Amino acid sequence: QGGGSAVIDMENMDDTSGSSFEDMGEMHQRMKEEEEEEAEGEAGAAEEEDGEFLGMKGLRGQLGRQVADQMWQVGKRQASRAFSLYANIDILRPYFDVEPVQVRARLLESMIPVKMINFPQKIAGELYGPLMLVFTLVAILLHGMKTSDTIIREGTLMGTAIGTCFGYWLGVSSFIYFLAYLCNAQITMVQMLSLLGYGLFGHCITLFVTYNIHFHSLFYIFWLGVGGLSTLRMVAVLVSRTVGHTQRLILCGTLAALHMLFLLYLHFAYHKVVEGILDTLEGPNMPPFQRVARDIPVVSNAVLNTTAKAIALTL
C-alpha cells in the first residue's frame, strides 16, 4: 500500500508539474502575443504618422511640380518667340524681294516727272532701292568730308552721316505721311518711304559730282536740274493722289521745300555743323603754344647801329 500510494503521489506530482509547465507556456505565449499586438499598434501609429508626413511632403511635391511646369511653359513660349524670329523676318521679305533690273528702272523713273495727274500714279511698295540709296548717300557724305578741308579727329564720322541720312528719310517720310493723312491723300507709309527714298537719287548724283568738282555755279545747276527733277517727280505723284487744290499746295509745297533745302544743307552747312559738333564735344584742335625765333629786319639793324655810334660819340 505504501508503494502504491507513492506511485499515485508521483503521478499526481507529474500531473501538477505538467499543468504548471503548460500554464507557464500559456502565459509566455500570451505575453508574446501582447508584445506583438503592442508592436503592431506602434507600427500602425508610426505608419499613420508617416502617412501624414508623406501627405505634406506630397503636397509640397505637387506644388513644386506645378511651379516647374509653369516655368517650363514660360521658357517654351520664350523659345517659340525666339524661333519665330525667322517668321517675323519673313513678313518683311516682300518689301525687299525685287530684281536689280526693276531697281534700275525705278531709279530712272525717279528723274522723270509724270504728266498724267488725273488718276493716281503707281508707287513701288518696296524698300530695297531706297535703303541702298540712303547708304549710298552716307558714303558720299563721308567722301565729301575727306575731300574737303574738314579735320577728322578720333575716328570716322559714319555715325553722324548715318544719323543725318536715316533721320531725314524716316523723319520726313513720317511727317509727310501725317500731312497726307490730314489732307486725305491716298498713300501708305511704305509707299511714302519708297517715294522719298527714290527721290534721294538726285541728291546722290548732285553731291557726288559737286564734291569732286568744287564750283558753286555747277552745284546750282545740278541743284535746279537733277534735284529739281527728282522733286517734281515726287510732287507729281502726290498731286495725282490728293484731292483739292489747298491740300495739294500744302502737301506738295512742304515736301518740295524740305527736299530742296536738305540738298542745300548737305552741300554748304553739313561739314561746318559736324565740325562744330566735334569742337563742342572734343574741344577745339588748337596747337600748343610755341616760341618761334624771328629774323630781325635790316632797318632795325641800321637803327641799332646808329644809336650805338651816337652813344659812343657822346661818351
Side-chain angles (χ1 to χ4, degrees):
Q1 290 178 354
S5 62
V7 171
I8 292 170
D9 293 336
M10 291 294 292
E11 288 178 357
N12 292 333
M13 288 179 66
D14 293 337
D15 292 339
T16 55
S17 63
S19 62
S20 63
F21 280 119
E22 288 176 359
D23 294 338
M24 292 294 292
E26 289 177 359
M27 290 176 63
H28 183 67
Q29 185 69 25
R30 287 175 184 175
M31 290 176 66
K32 221 176 196 188
E33 289 177 356
E34 289 177 359
E35 289 178 357
E36 288 179 357
E37 289 177 358
E38 290 178 358
E40 288 178 358
E42 291 177 358
E47 287 179 358
E48 290 180 358
E49 292 179 358
D50 292 340
E52 293 178 357
F53 177 73
L54 289 174
M56 293 296 295
K57 194 172 182 181
L59 181 60
R60 292 177 183 176
Q62 186 177 2
L63 290 175
R65 286 194 298 272
Q66 290 179 357
V67 172
D69 190 21
Q70 290 179 359
M71 293 179 65
W72 167 257
Q73 294 296 331
V74 172
K76 186 177 179 181
R77 285 196 296 268
Q78 292 179 355
S80 62
R81 290 177 183 176
F83 284 115
S84 64
L85 180 63
Y86 180 78
N88 295 331
I89 294 175
D90 200 39
I91 296 174
L92 301 176
R93 183 174 295 176
Y95 301 112
F96 294 91
D97 188 10
V98 61
E99 297 294 332
V101 179
Q102 296 176 345
V103 175
R104 182 179 61 188
R106 288 165 184 169
L107 288 175
L108 295 176
E109 290 176 356
S110 66
M111 303 297 298
I112 303 174
V114 296
K115 297 180 180 179
M116 301 297 294
I117 60 175
N118 295 326
F119 58 91
Q121 295 294 322
K122 184 179 179 181
I123 302 176
E126 54 95 5
L127 300 176
Y128 175 78
L131 189 63
M132 293 300 105
L133 282 172
V134 173
F135 280 117
T136 304
L137 186 60
V138 170
I140 292 173
L141 289 179
L142 294 176
H143 173 70
M145 294 292 289
K146 291 180 181 180
T147 56
S148 65
D149 296 332
T150 304
I151 301 173
I152 301 176
R153 300 186 299 274
E154 296 185 4
T156 63
L157 301 175
M158 184 176 292
T160 307
I162 290 176
T164 302
C165 297
F166 275 92
Y168 172 77
W169 181 41
L170 299 175
V172 174
S173 297
S174 302
F175 179 67
I176 297 299
Y177 174 73
F178 176 70
L179 284 182
Y181 176 77
L182 294 179
C183 297
N184 199 18
Q186 301 175 2
I187 191 170
T188 63
M189 184 62 188
V190 176
Q191 291 176 339
M192 190 65 234
L193 287 170
S194 178
L195 183 65
L196 186 62
Y198 277 110
L200 293 174
F201 182 57
H203 287 36
C204 292
I205 295 175
T206 303
L207 294 176
F208 181 74
V209 173
T210 55
Y211 278 164
N212 294 285
I213 303 174
H214 301 283
F215 291 108
H216 291 299
S217 58
L218 181 64
F219 167 75
Y220 286 118
I221 292 172
F222 273 83
W223 179 66
L224 290 174
V226 180
L229 287 176
S230 62
T231 304
L232 284 177
R233 167 74 183 189
M234 294 189 297
V235 167
V237 172
L238 284 180
V239 167
S240 67
R241 290 174 169 266
T242 308
V243 179
H245 296 287
T246 305
Q247 290 84 350
R248 289 177 175 177
L249 182 62
I250 294 173
L251 184 61
C252 299
T254 304
L255 177 60
L258 291 175
H259 202 62
M260 297 297 285
L261 290 175
F262 182 64
L263 183 54
L264 287 175
Y265 166 75
L266 292 180
H267 182 77
F268 290 107
Y270 174 73
H271 298 167
K272 296 180 180 178
V273 170
V274 171
E275 191 173 3
I277 292 173
L278 290 176
D279 290 338
T280 303
L281 296 177
E282 302 175 3
N285 190 16
M286 297 293 293
F289 180 78
Q290 296 178 354
R291 296 183 178 273
V292 181
R294 297 182 180 179
D295 295 333
I296 299 176
V298 180
V299 177
S300 300
N301 290 332
V303 172
L304 290 175
N305 293 332
T306 305
T307 306
K309 290 179 182 179
I311 293 172
L313 292 174
T314 305
L315 295 173

